[in-house]
Amino acid sequence: MNVHGMFTLKNYKKRKKIEDDVLKIYRKVSPSHRNITDSQSKDQFFNQRITLFKTLGLPLSFFKNKKVLEIGGGTGEKALFYAFYGADVTIVEPNEKSCLIAKKIFSQTKLTKKLTVINKSLFDIDLSIIKKFDIVAAEGVLHHTFHPTESLELILKNMISNQIILIAIGESHGMLKRDLQKMAAKKLGKSDPEKIYYYVKKLFPEHLLRATKYDLRNENQVIYDNYINPQDETSNLRDICNAFFKNKISYLSSYPKLDLFYITNPWGQHREDHFNYKFYQNYYQILEKIWMTCGEENISNDLQSFDLKKIIRKANTDSKKLLALKQKIRTNNFTENDLKIIKYGYMGIGLHYFLGMKDNNDVKEFTSLLKHYKKTEF
């Protein structure tokens, strides 16, 4: 038996087990819900979304009269944002409690007709539905699924020309410090949820304070979603890029940026797509180390002077420290003093955002377009 042609029966059972375990957590504590009935929280949430799309270079006017498919739509706050800017939104969400909250949020606005809810997981829907939408979004969901990059490919291979995709996914280098926090808490707590909760609050209060302040979630949500959650598997940049590149998705933008700051060749010249990891490998390996160590000691100050050699030396040194700590935690051979490097400062990059577009490889369509232009009089 294959699920969408990618999963064997054995993997199907594993996938269902993981999905059920994650849903148990999410039914207990919703990972996505923000109290946007409070006007201040709503303004902050909407302003964060506006900043995100400015950073990605996607104007908010894009959403007007568009159809958005949000996979893992949670409790509907992001869907409400898209609807507010004129989109019709369909949420695919396996948690029935979250679906009810999403419907309630929309029912309190004049945008109720702009929301459709499908109470299923990504793996249980007919993926041909993807072709009906202008943009497909999956934010903060793929790393909680069985084999995140395979889940990503399920979406990508069902896209059609000129569709836009937006994902936010845990990338293994940017998330390393947070992964080390989680590993340490699980080792100390012997994988017991209550003990993990205790050690996270004891060891990482600075990070929790920052997370609740800027992510608009409470401590329960952050701890259950990021530390107790039985499935939180990051993917490396190479595998993410390869999934996009193999499925002919062109890079539009990302956060953090993948662009090279010194590229100045004319627009008319060919530029290798940024999802071609192999082509940019040497450059990306430097980026990955910077993502691993960002926020560590004085690296932010180094960026002000922009001494590139110094930044790279610092990233190399600190990445070795983090990897050494990872080995200590893995072998349960660490002390609380060893954890200083992951207790203070900014803990790397929470989610990596990637925006891409399915390439138009329809030769017939292109030929037809050329004929149209030849007939047009100027």
Side-chain angles (χ1 to χ4, degrees), residues 28-238:
K28 183 176 181 180
V29 180
S30 169
S32 64
H33 186 51
R34 274 85 170 173
N35 181 26
I36 60 173
T37 54
D38 172 68
S39 59
Q40 185 176 348
S41 295
K42 181 182 177 181
D43 289 347
Q44 188 176 343
F45 177 74
F46 267 54
N47 283 332
Q48 286 178 348
R49 300 295 293 173
I50 290 168
T51 300
L52 168 66
F53 288 109
K54 280 184 178 178
T55 302
L56 294 173
L58 190 65
L60 298 176
S61 58
F62 171 84
F63 295 106
K64 189 173 183 179
N65 300 323
K66 293 295 195 299
K67 292 183 178 180
V68 176
L69 177 66
E70 190 183 1
I71 294 168
T75 45
E77 291 81 6
K78 292 189 288 291
L80 184 65
F81 177 85
Y82 297 133
F84 181 82
Y85 285 99
D88 291 313
V89 190
T90 296
I91 287 175
V92 174
E93 171 56 53
N95 185 349
E96 68 284 354
K97 290 186 176 181
S98 293
C99 291
L100 290 173
I101 293 172
K103 289 178 181 178
K104 183 178 180 181
I105 287 173
F106 270 77
S107 71
Q108 295 169 349
T109 72
K110 296 178 181 179
L111 301 169
T112 307
K113 293 181 180 179
K114 286 189 167 290
L115 177 70
T116 301
V117 175
I118 300 174
N119 183 201
K120 290 184 179 180
S121 80
L122 166 66
F123 305 96
D124 295 326
I125 62 170
D126 178 358
L127 291 173
S128 65
I129 192 178
I130 289 174
K131 297 176 174 62
K132 299 177 181 178
F133 294 86
D134 300 294
I135 182 167
V136 181
E139 293 184 58
V141 60
L142 295 174
H143 45 276
H144 296 310
T145 64
F146 178 64
H147 286 323
T149 50
E150 287 189 5
S151 300
L152 173 60
E153 286 208 45
L154 278 178
I155 300 168
L156 300 180
K157 74 175 191 173
N158 282 282
M159 289 176 62
I160 57 175
S161 294
N162 298 321
Q163 279 184 310
I164 302 289
I165 181 162
L166 169 67
I167 69 163
I169 191 170
E171 197 281 331
S172 57
H173 299 88
M175 287 283 280
L176 180 62
K177 289 184 183 181
R178 301 174 197 221
D179 281 346
L180 293 180
Q181 286 183 341
K182 181 173 60 180
M183 287 172 61
K186 283 190 173 182
K187 286 286 186 182
L188 291 168
K190 302 185 187 304
S191 296
D192 178 273
E194 289 186 9
K195 291 179 180 177
I196 292 170
Y197 194 101
Y198 166 79
Y199 279 110
V200 170
K201 289 203 62 164
K202 177 177 184 286
L203 296 171
F204 310 121
E206 184 177 305
H207 176 67
L208 280 178
L209 182 62
R210 184 181 287 106
T212 53
K213 181 179 179 181
Y214 294 107
D215 204 24
L216 302 178
R217 301 193 294 176
N218 60 43
E219 281 190 350
N220 262 8
Q221 289 176 293
V222 174
I223 294 174
Y224 273 91
D225 188 26
N226 301 135
Y227 297 92
I228 295 175
N229 193 327
Q231 178 68 1
D232 193 2
E233 181 183 335
T234 56
S235 304
N236 61 48
L237 178 62
R238 181 193 62 220

Side-chain angles (χ1 to χ4, degrees), residues 322-335:
L322 287 167
L323 293 174
L325 176 59
K326 183 178 182 179
Q327 184 58 26
K328 281 188 173 184
I329 296 174
R330 183 175 284 162
T331 57
N332 208 9
N333 186 30
F334 67 97
T335 65

